[in-house]
Amino acid sequence: MHAPRVFRLQNYVLVCLLTLLMSVSLTSTLSAQPPGKVSVARGPAVEEAVFFSFDDRAIPWRNNLALTPQTAQKHPANPVLRRGPEGAPDHGHAILYGSVLYIDGKFRMWYLGMFETAIKSGQAPGWWRPMCYAESDDGIHWTKPKLNLVEFNGNKQNNICLIKSQVPSLAKVNDFLTVLYDPRDPDPERRYKCAYIAHPPFGDVKGGRSKIGPDERRWGAFICATSADGLTWNVVSDRPMNAGGERFEVSSLYRYGNFYYASGQLITPWTWRMDGSKIGRVMLTYRSSDFDHWSRAKALSFARPGQLTATPIPGQQTHMGAGIWNRGNVLVGLYGMWQDAPEKPKDGRYWNTGVSVDLGLIVSDDGIHFREPVPDHPVIARGKKGEWDDIALLQGHAFVNRGDQTMIWYSHWDTGGKLKNMEIGLATLRRDGFGYLSRQIENNAAHFVTTDFETEGTLKLSVNVEGVSQKTPLTVELLDEFDRPLPGYSGDQAARITQPGTRTPVIWPARKTGSLPEGKKLALRVTFPDTDAVKVYALYVGQ
């Protein structure tokens, strides 16, 4: 007579289990939903778009506003990564012809070492400067782990990364290297990618070369490699990526949209101005859709303004392309602002003696063409005479946002060839604080309108702003694709930003939420209060 109760109890337990399973399944489904995406000006769909104050393509429409560029502050502990002791692979120098990435809670650095303390024959011994690896918890204090991968000075107790190749000379890094972390590559063996310069003998270059430029003892080869862990690498091919073409000094690697891009430098006679006339070092770019096969044709990506005037400004050049930071919809970079020596070195002296280099800001919205927001403004300037970095600076692919700071690592280059203080320093800015927009003429209205962007999924808006208050708010409105105010997000229902910060949320008062309308083409109109104190560094559309 108790069977019905047992049956009801079993049914109850079954219903509870089914409810729990449905809840877990629903939670899993919700958590597995793809993140929202945003496309700026019909560019690639990304999880976050940044509208930098200095980007006149992202913010083309400006009224009574001026950009004030900023210079990074150098860390008092500089140089933060120093050369190693005698016998170490980086005893001669440790330079950031390399990258810094923040992965899995650690700062990870790939840099070039040199074991000799003097340049004896114009090049590193054996045309090899080892790819070295370092780690840090804070980006300031670095350790050089013993990787046990490469024998050097009779043992493997060093921080040299292993590079393997069918052609041994292609595995010898000798100049600028860039490391890219590509976690979405379906092949786990290829999630780390790098590009670097090697100088193999001509006999090792399968595929030959073009007849442009003179013969050299060794060839400036653009090499690609892949890795599962960033420590043990395999060269992609049995030939350089520029085989069949001209020599090329690759200096960066990034992905934008459907392509990988590798930029670097060339100089006449290997390249020239649009009209065929001579030019100094400029930034050129190759592309590839699969990382294995690279274009023969190159794009002229950037040259200093003085290199392109009818009569070029003497001594201005673009050194080693640029170190690139991919922010999704936009690429930010630092390039070498090369200036020739006032006088050529005397016979017998190192040929670069007297050359100076600061680091300037460039930006691109298509991955191909770069421009300089404020020409000749140094984001990182070489030090004053007597300081450790007083001769010339080298850029890396070394940008990390942590907290309210942007951290940038760079190196010192002794252009006199003595390897003086060739170590790695750190400079910082306010987070994304390369420059800000503020009112130009007092007592006049000031505002800007962004280019259009298209949303997919749930996205929110935030502002990097300084100087706002309850009395002097920044007003943010949404516009439709025809530049018309969007009801519910404009006029009396516009958002008013009263709290300064590097990521102040934008809340729409009528909705009491910061979410943007889904699946619409939108633009932002940002109006400044009647004060010169308000500074807008950037806006962010994302999660």
Side-chain angles (χ1 to χ4, degrees):
M1 72 185 215
H2 295 295
R5 287 186 187 176
V6 173
F7 182 72
R8 285 197 298 271
L9 181 60
Q10 289 174 336
N11 280 351
Y12 175 73
V13 171
L14 183 61
V15 169
C16 288
L17 285 171
L18 286 172
T19 303
L20 179 62
L21 288 170
M22 289 175 65
S23 173
V24 169
S25 175
L26 180 60
T27 302
S28 300
T29 302
L30 288 173
S31 63
Q33 291 295 317
K37 295 289 184 72
V38 55
S39 171
V40 177
R42 294 160 295 284
V46 297
E47 293 180 14
E48 180 179 79
V50 186
F51 295 78
F52 282 108
S53 61
F54 54 80
D55 184 354
D56 61 352
R57 305 286 170 85
I59 305 177
W61 309 101
R62 304 177 183 216
N63 175 50
N64 192 28
L65 294 170
L67 173 67
T68 301
Q70 298 295 285
T71 298
Q73 299 298 309
K74 296 176 182 177
H75 198 278
N78 277 348
V80 295
L81 188 138
R82 299 172 184 257
R83 65 191 184 98
E86 186 173 356
D90 58 358
H91 179 51
H93 73 49
I95 58 170
L96 198 67
Y97 264 7
S99 299
V100 175
L101 302 175
Y102 188 78
I103 301 173
D104 296 335
K106 268 192 187 306
F107 295 89
R108 304 175 190 274
M109 179 188 291
W110 292 262
Y111 67 96
L112 281 188
M114 181 165 168
F115 37 92
E116 290 195 351
T117 56
I119 298 176
K120 296 178 180 177
S121 58
Q123 276 290 344
W127 299 76
W128 179 50
R129 289 193 282 175
M131 176 199 275
C132 296
Y133 175 76
E135 293 180 343
S136 174
D137 292 324
D138 59 8
I140 302 165
H141 305 92
W142 293 86
T143 59
K144 302 173 184 179
K146 295 176 181 178
L147 301 179
N148 298 305
L149 293 173
V150 177
E151 185 165 327
F152 179 79
N153 278 348
N155 65 77
K156 295 184 178 181
Q157 300 295 297
N158 58 64
N159 64 331
I160 302 175
C161 295
L162 174 63
I163 305 176
K164 297 183 284 187
S165 173
Q166 300 174 46
V167 183
S169 63
L170 302 189
K172 286 192 170 184
V173 182
N174 190 41
D175 223 328
F176 214 114
L177 69 95
T178 310
V179 173
L180 170 68
Y181 183 50
D182 195 10
R184 294 183 182 176
D185 192 310
D187 184 351
E189 297 296 317
R190 292 169 59 96
R191 288 182 181 161
Y192 285 88
K193 297 177 171 67
C194 77
Y196 59 84
I197 301 169
H199 287 99
F202 275 124
D204 284 357
V205 180
K206 296 183 180 180
R209 66 176 182 90
S210 76
K211 297 184 183 301
I212 297 172
D215 288 335
E216 299 173 279
R217 286 189 299 149
R218 296 262 180 154
W219 203 54
F222 156 29
I223 309 298
C224 285
T226 60
S227 172
D229 60 5
L231 303 177
T232 298
W233 297 85
N234 291 290
V235 171
V236 164
S237 176
D238 65 351
R239 64 200 63 200
M241 304 298 100
N242 59 324
E246 299 82 58
R247 75 186 308 279
F248 188 63
E249 295 181 320
V250 66
S251 60
S252 68
L253 176 66
Y254 52 93
R255 184 165 188 171
Y256 187 84
N258 295 328
F259 288 93
Y260 295 96
Y261 294 92
S263 65
Q265 76 172 19
L266 279 181
I267 189 173
T268 299
W270 295 279
T271 192
W272 43 83
R273 303 204 314 174
M274 290 284 263
D275 62 1
S277 56
K278 292 181 179 180
I279 197 167
R281 293 165 177 80
V282 292
M283 178 175 167
L284 303 175
T285 301
Y286 286 88
R287 68 175 181 171
S288 170
S289 60
D290 61 6
F291 199 67
D292 295 322
H293 306 91
W294 290 79
S295 59
R296 178 69 58 84
K298 301 171 290 297
L300 174 57
S301 289
F302 179 72
R304 295 187 72 182
Q307 294 180 270
L308 300 176
T309 52
T311 302
I313 295 175
Q316 282 200 4
Q317 299 189 58
T318 303
H319 185 234
M320 292 307 295
I324 303 297
W325 192 14
N326 189 343
R327 298 301 300 275
N329 65 303
V330 63
L331 300 162
V332 179
L334 292 183
Y335 82 96
M337 301 165 64
W338 173 297
Q339 185 62 46
D340 281 350
E343 296 180 6
K344 289 186 177 180
K346 296 177 181 177
D347 291 344
R349 297 180 64 194
Y350 192 68
W351 67 276
N352 275 332
T353 299
V355 168
S356 63
V357 183
D358 299 312
L359 301 182
L361 178 69
I362 57 175
V363 59
S364 172
D365 302 272
D366 65 3
I368 305 167
H369 305 97
F370 288 77
R371 59 197 184 280
E372 191 173 14
V374 180
D376 295 334
H377 168 73
V379 175
I380 307 178
R382 64 191 186 279
K384 297 176 182 176
K385 190 172 182 178
E387 295 180 341
W388 76 280
D389 57 355
D390 62 352
I391 300 175
L393 305 185
L394 303 174
Q395 75 277 9
H397 301 263
F399 307 83
V400 174
N401 273 344
R402 294 297 295 162
D404 289 337
Q405 280 191 331
T406 291
M407 307 173 76
I408 309 170
W409 294 263
Y410 69 99
S411 290
H412 181 238
W413 175 29
D414 178 5
T415 57
K418 303 298 183 184
L419 306 186
K420 170 195 165 188
N421 297 338
M422 288 185 61
E423 296 172 308
I424 299 171
L426 169 65
T428 61
L429 291 162
R430 174 193 176 94
R431 186 185 183 101
D432 291 335
F434 294 95
Y436 61 81
L437 289 173
S438 61
R439 182 188 302 271
Q440 170 76 346
I441 307 298
E442 61 182 1
N443 300 321
N444 282 273
H447 78 280
F448 66 76
V449 177
T450 69
T451 190
D452 63 276
F453 60 93
E454 201 159 358
T455 62
E456 175 188 329
T458 302
L459 297 170
K460 296 186 178 181
L461 174 66
S462 55
V463 184
N464 189 337
V465 64
E466 190 177 0
V468 293
S469 67
Q470 290 286 345
K471 292 183 179 180
T472 56
L474 191 75
T475 302
V476 181
E477 300 175 277
L478 286 186
L479 308 177
D480 68 13
E481 59 185 306
F482 298 103
D483 200 36
R484 300 175 302 201
L486 198 65
Y489 300 90
S490 59
D492 292 341
Q493 296 174 322
R496 285 170 174 79
I497 310 302
T498 60
Q499 293 294 322
T502 56
R503 271 190 181 266
T504 300
V506 174
I507 304 297
W508 311 107
R511 288 168 166 71
K512 301 188 185 308
T513 178
S515 296
L516 295 168
E518 294 187 32
K520 290 185 177 293
K521 191 174 287 186
L522 305 166
L524 300 167
R525 179 163 62 199
V526 177
T527 303
F528 287 62
D530 190 17
T531 174
D532 299 337
V534 173
K535 303 172 181 179
V536 175
Y537 294 87
L539 298 99
Y540 309 91
V541 175
Q543 294 186 305

